[in-house]
Structures are given as C-alpha cells and as structure tokens.
Amino acid sequence: MRFCDLNESQLLALAITNEEEDGRIYRDFAHELRKNFPATAQLFERMADEESGHRHRLIELYQKKFGEHIPLVRRQDVKGFMVPRSTWALRTLRPEKAREQAALMEVDARRFYEAAAVLAQDAAVRQLLGDLAQEEQKHENVAEQINKEQAAAGEVGIEQHVARKIFVLHIVQPALAGLMDGSVSTLAPLFAAAFATGSTAETFKVGLAASVGAGISMGFAEALSDDGKLSGRGTPWLRGVVCGLMTALGGLGHTLPFLIPHFRLAMAIAMGVVCVELSIISLIRWKYMDTPFLSAAFQVVVGGLLVFLAGWFIGAS
C-alpha cells in the first residue's frame, strides 16, 4: 500500500508498530552497550521509555476510535515514505555511531508524524499525531542535552577510551598479527624462489601460494585460538576473517611486483614494497600499542631482514 492512501486507522496502526520497533531497537542498543558503555545505555533506556509512552497513547486513541483489534501495518508494507530498519546490523554499532543512528531515528519519526498529521481527517487523530511530532522534536533536543551533560561529567570520555580499547582488541591486534605474518613470513619462500629460478612468473606463483596459504592458516588459527568470552577479544569469526585477510594482503603486497616480466625491476619494486609494509607495521604498533616508533621499526626491520637473508641464502645456495 502507498503511504498517501492510508486512512486514520492504518496511520495509527503503523505509528504503533513504529513505536514498538523503535523502542525495541533502543533497548537492544542499551543491552549491547550496558557492559562497556553504561552512560550511552542509560540514554537509550530513557529513549525506549519515551517510545513506550507514545505507544500507549496511540493504542488508547485507536481503541477509542476503532475498537480492540489493531491490524499489523509495518514499515515494509508501506511504499513511498517509510524505510525498513536493519536491526541486526544496528546492534553492532559503536557508541558514537549508535547515538548518531538514534538521532536519525528521531528525525524519521518526527517526519512521519508530520506527514501523517497532514493525511489525517479526524480531529483527535490529527491532534495526537501533531503532538507526537512536536515531542519527537523535543526528543532530539533532549538527547543532545543528555550527551552534553554526560560529556561534561567525563562519562563520554571514559566510553571513548573503552571503545578504543575494544577496537584494538577486536580489530587492530588480529589485523596487526596477520599483517606482520604475511609481510614477514612470506619473504623467505618468495625471495628464495626468486634467487633460485630467476623467473618472475615462477616467483609470482610461489608468492601467491604462500600468501593465500598463510592467510587461510592464520585465519583459522586466530579464530580457533580464543572464543573471546573470557579474554574479551570479540567474536572468533570476525578476528579470523580480519587476521586471514591481512595476512594474505601482507604477502600479496610484495608478490604482485613479480607480475612484471623484467626480473631486476620486479625485484627492486618488491623490496620497496617490503619497506613500505614494515613502515606501516611500525606505525600501527606506535599508534595503537604505545610502542616507540624507532623501537617498533627496529624490531620489525630486524625480523624482516633475518627472514629476507634466510630466503636469499636458501635460494642462492
């Protein structure tokens, strides 16, 4: 059905469903964030309570006007106005993104009530829809005020620190482990093949196989090493995917230059790529692991140099 064709009973039924869905989303936010981000969880609990109050007022008016049976009219049933929400994806948002999403939801709710009030012919229905549009506008201001109060109290700063820590545990650490393994461990077989064969095509095949194999191996090793329940390192499949992809990427970086037929040119570019990879690893360790940059660079370069020399020695012998 089209939004412009809805009658008063359908508008109220749709509004009731919207309030129920938005309230559940806010409580999902609160549930997922309560452990690590209590201030943001408190904000969403208050917003869910507000949505519950709106729903009760809509139901009371519906029962008074149209009886006890409320038909199920959902966002996805209406064309031309409403946008369905992907609730499963919303639950994985970081606190700041969840706040932004909540603000957008409040704007959508206000726009819906404003448009619905224009369509409604019944005076009582029109008045309630208009009142709810004004209240949704107030909710936007109240949420902003709560954010300011929590920021002034230092709660938002604490949550930002926790969010950074979680990001490091869930994403940065497995990505860094994969990038280091892919960039360093594949040096030996790649350059051993290069010095042994002198063929860019054969070297590329060896590097490709080493990179893909290392990516698969590291992905499974990371996913199976820890379920994240005790360590707080996040879901195994996410860590495994991140680690595996970064491992393969680290190896492919210095493998791709061997697509160039000229051996000396391919070798020079590959060695340059290795230097870039080691610099990126050092920067990540400096930024997220609080390791002094020179110390991180020295450790990574020494490891990479030893692996490179092993590959050169084996390939040239």
Side-chain angles (χ1 to χ4, degrees):
M1 65 185 75
R2 296 187 303 171
F3 180 79
C4 60
D5 295 332
L6 299 179
N7 55 36
E8 279 88 353
S9 65
Q10 292 169 331
L11 286 172
L12 287 180
L14 177 58
I16 292 169
T17 304
N18 290 346
E19 294 291 351
E20 290 176 343
E21 183 175 334
D22 288 351
R24 285 197 298 270
I25 291 174
Y26 289 147
R27 295 199 188 279
D28 284 342
F29 281 159
H31 175 75
E32 295 294 329
L33 298 171
R34 185 174 292 109
K35 179 180 179 181
N36 297 311
F37 310 103
T40 301
Q42 182 183 14
L43 168 63
F44 288 126
E45 287 287 1
R46 292 175 62 176
M47 296 178 72
D49 291 339
E50 292 287 345
E51 301 303 309
S52 180
H54 290 179
R55 179 172 58 86
H56 285 298
R57 291 165 62 185
L58 289 164
I59 291 175
E60 289 177 2
L61 180 60
Y62 189 96
Q63 291 174 329
K64 180 179 179 180
K65 292 287 184 180
F66 306 107
E68 295 296 323
H69 175 69
I70 303 176
L72 179 61
V73 183
R74 301 167 297 183
R75 286 180 170 91
Q76 54 265 39
D77 299 326
V78 180
K79 299 178 181 179
F81 188 82
M82 306 301 295
V83 178
R85 306 200 190 284
S86 180
T87 56
W88 68 268
L90 299 182
R91 300 175 190 176
T92 63
L93 294 179
R94 290 160 58 91
E96 64 274 17
K97 296 299 182 180
R99 291 171 186 260
E100 293 174 6
Q101 183 62 41
L104 292 175
M105 290 170 61
E106 294 295 323
V107 171
D108 288 343
R110 172 176 55 81
R111 292 177 59 245
F112 163 72
Y113 284 123
E114 290 173 348
V118 173
L119 289 179
Q121 301 297 319
D122 184 273
V125 174
R126 190 185 188 98
Q127 180 179 352
L128 177 58
L129 295 175
D131 291 344
L132 292 178
Q134 294 180 2
E135 292 183 20
E136 294 293 349
Q137 177 66 58
K138 293 179 182 179
H139 287 176
E140 299 172 34
N141 300 331
V142 170
E144 183 178 353
Q145 182 61 33
I146 293 174
N147 285 336
K148 290 180 179 179
E149 292 174 358
Q150 292 176 343
E155 295 174 330
V156 174
I158 294 173
E159 289 191 348
Q160 290 174 345
H161 175 73
V162 174
R164 185 179 187 276
K165 181 179 178 181
I166 292 175
F167 176 69
V168 170
L169 286 174
H170 292 191
I171 303 298
V172 176
Q173 282 190 351
L176 181 60
L179 186 60
M180 291 179 64
D181 184 85
S183 298
V184 176
S185 69
T186 57
L187 290 178
L190 181 75
F191 287 106
F195 289 117
T197 65
S199 168
T200 58
E202 297 301 320
T203 302
F204 174 77
K205 292 179 182 179
V206 172
L208 180 62
S211 301
V212 174
I216 295 172
S217 175
M218 283 293 290
F220 275 100
E222 178 64 30
L224 298 176
S225 65
D226 180 10
D227 61 7
K229 293 180 180 179
L230 295 178
S231 64
R233 296 181 63 220
T235 56
W237 67 265
L238 176 61
R239 295 196 328 272
V241 169
V242 171
C243 185
L245 288 177
M246 293 306 295
T247 301
L249 181 63
L252 289 173
H254 46 258
T255 297
L256 291 176
F258 287 96
L259 288 171
I260 301 173
H262 194 280
F263 182 80
R264 290 180 179 271
L265 177 60
M267 179 68 73
I269 295 176
M271 295 180 68
V273 171
V274 171
C275 294
V276 172
E277 291 171 346
L278 297 181
S279 299
I280 292 174
I281 292 172
S282 301
L283 284 171
I284 294 174
R285 294 190 65 197
W286 166 72
K287 181 176 179 60
Y288 291 102
M289 304 302 176
D290 297 325
T291 304
F293 179 77
L294 292 179
S295 175
F298 177 77
Q299 296 167 3
V300 173
V301 169
V302 169
L305 181 60
L306 290 175
V307 175
F308 170 79
L309 291 176
W312 170 78
F313 178 77
I314 295 172
S317 60

